[in-house]
Amino acid sequence: PRMASPTPSGSATPHRAPTPTAAARPPRPADPPPARAQRPRWWRMPRETVRRPLTLPQGVLRFDQILAVSVFGLARGTGYFRFGAGLHDDFEIGSTPVAVNIPWPTADHPSVYVRGRALSGDVQLAVRSELWLPLWGQLPWQWELGVELAVTSGWFRFDAGLDYALLFADPLQQRIGLPLTATFQAGPNGFGVTTGVYVFNDFDDVDVPLLLSWTFAFRGYQGPLADVRLEGGITDLERADQAWLIRGVLTFFAYL
């Protein structure tokens, strides 16, 4: 091979370093993922039942169609529609505008409610207030105040609450409740067990329920589209032979 031309000093001319090619350049850092605040609001609505927040995220709407049949001395059915809307990730409003008793063609009074969340994450705490309005008939006012606690861990969720209700009848009626629910997630299926204790007036009556539930979630691309829920069991173990309940709930979600 031909030798390189000598330099004035008598040494060979050194080879010039090659220009870095695109493959040799260090890789360009990837663009950072979009901030959570820039994502659509429905990213904050988990598809799994156990991970659902106590309040609807901002821009999420919920529509419940509920049919319940109960026997507590006398068979009675109730069909009602319930609506909820997330105004903020930690604040929700809603209403039960329609509630019809079956088989008697009478209507229960509607209600409005607000729910605010104080803690979020794996441990959630919320406060709820609901007012039942006697817009027709001779039905009295009813007001409920509740504190709700939810603890989630992977495929398991535990819910507890403290409810206080006043029925402005003559005489005044009151109820204090402590509901407890454990929910287990298996794919799109959620299985729950509910119990607790409910005290009426001055311990005139004490009810201890035991209910089982199954919820199937229809998963959308980035959030749930609908839920189907079946629940059944005994509303008072002391009178198990005449205090049972069967309830079906169909829920749809919409995202703004």
Side-chain angles (χ1 to χ4, degrees), residues 114 126-132 142-148 161-166 175-177:
V114 296
V127 178
R128 172 185 56 86
S129 179
E130 186 165 6
L131 181 63
W132 299 82
Q142 182 174 336
W143 174 66
E144 296 183 11
L145 178 65
V147 178
E148 303 169 344
L162 180 61
D163 296 333
Y164 180 72
L166 276 177
R175 184 199 69 206
I176 300 176

Side-chain angles (χ1 to χ4, degrees), residues 214-246:
W214 167 71
T215 304
F216 183 86
F218 292 90
R219 303 180 176 186
Y221 176 60
Q222 288 144 333
L225 297 178
D227 285 345
V228 175
R229 178 182 177 89
L230 296 177
E231 186 175 22
I234 302 168
T235 57
D236 185 12
L237 292 176
E238 186 179 0
R239 287 170 282 185
D241 58 334
Q242 57 175 355
W244 55 265
L245 169 75
I246 298 177

Side-chain angles (χ1 to χ4, degrees), residues 15-256:
H15 292 284
R16 182 177 299 175
T19 302
T21 62
R25 295 191 186 104
R28 184 179 179 181
D31 294 333
R36 182 180 180 184
Q38 298 175 349
R39 291 180 177 177
R41 293 289 179 178
W42 25 262
W43 275 102
R44 306 187 186 181
M45 189 63 177
R47 289 169 288 186
E48 294 81 3
T49 305
V50 297
R51 297 178 56 229
R52 301 282 174 83
L54 288 177
T55 52
L56 290 172
Q58 180 179 343
V60 178
L61 308 179
R62 187 190 66 243
F63 305 90
D64 296 322
Q65 295 79 41
I66 305 170
L67 178 62
V69 178
S70 61
V71 170
F72 212 103
L74 181 66
R76 180 178 183 269
T78 303
Y80 52 100
F81 170 78
R82 193 170 181 86
F83 165 78
L87 301 185
H88 184 272
D89 288 352
D90 297 322
F91 186 74
E92 171 189 341
I93 63 172
S95 173
T96 303
V98 178
V100 180
N101 296 326
I102 303 170
W104 304 279
T106 59
D108 283 341
H109 43 304
S111 73
V112 292
Y113 76 87
V114 296
R115 179 185 282 111
R117 188 174 60 169
L119 297 177
S120 62
D122 294 337
V123 179
Q124 303 180 66
L125 181 68
V127 178
R128 172 185 56 86
S129 179
E130 186 165 6
L131 181 63
W132 299 82
L133 310 172
L135 298 184
W136 44 75
Q138 303 299 320
L139 298 171
W141 292 78
Q142 182 174 336
W143 174 66
E144 296 183 11
L145 178 65
V147 178
E148 303 169 344
L149 173 69
V151 180
T152 60
S153 177
W155 49 268
F156 175 76
R157 175 182 178 127
F158 175 76
D159 288 88
L162 180 61
D163 296 333
Y164 180 72
L166 276 177
L167 183 64
F168 295 92
D170 188 18
L172 184 69
Q173 306 289 320
Q174 63 178 350
R175 184 199 69 206
I176 300 176
L178 180 64
L180 305 172
T181 301
T183 306
F184 305 86
Q185 192 74 37
N189 301 281
F191 302 93
V193 180
T194 298
T195 186
V197 59
Y198 292 87
V199 178
F200 295 84
N201 300 320
D202 297 327
F203 284 86
D204 297 343
D205 189 18
V206 178
D207 291 353
V208 177
L210 181 59
L211 304 172
L212 303 178
S213 65
W214 167 71
T215 304
F216 183 86
F218 292 90
R219 303 180 176 186
Y221 176 60
Q222 288 144 333
L225 297 178
D227 285 345
V228 175
R229 178 182 177 89
L230 296 177
E231 186 175 22
I234 302 168
T235 57
D236 185 12
L237 292 176
E238 186 179 0
R239 287 170 282 185
D241 58 334
Q242 57 175 355
W244 55 265
L245 169 75
I246 298 177
R247 177 163 46 210
V249 183
L250 180 60
T251 301
F252 294 98
F253 296 97
Y255 305 93
L256 301 180

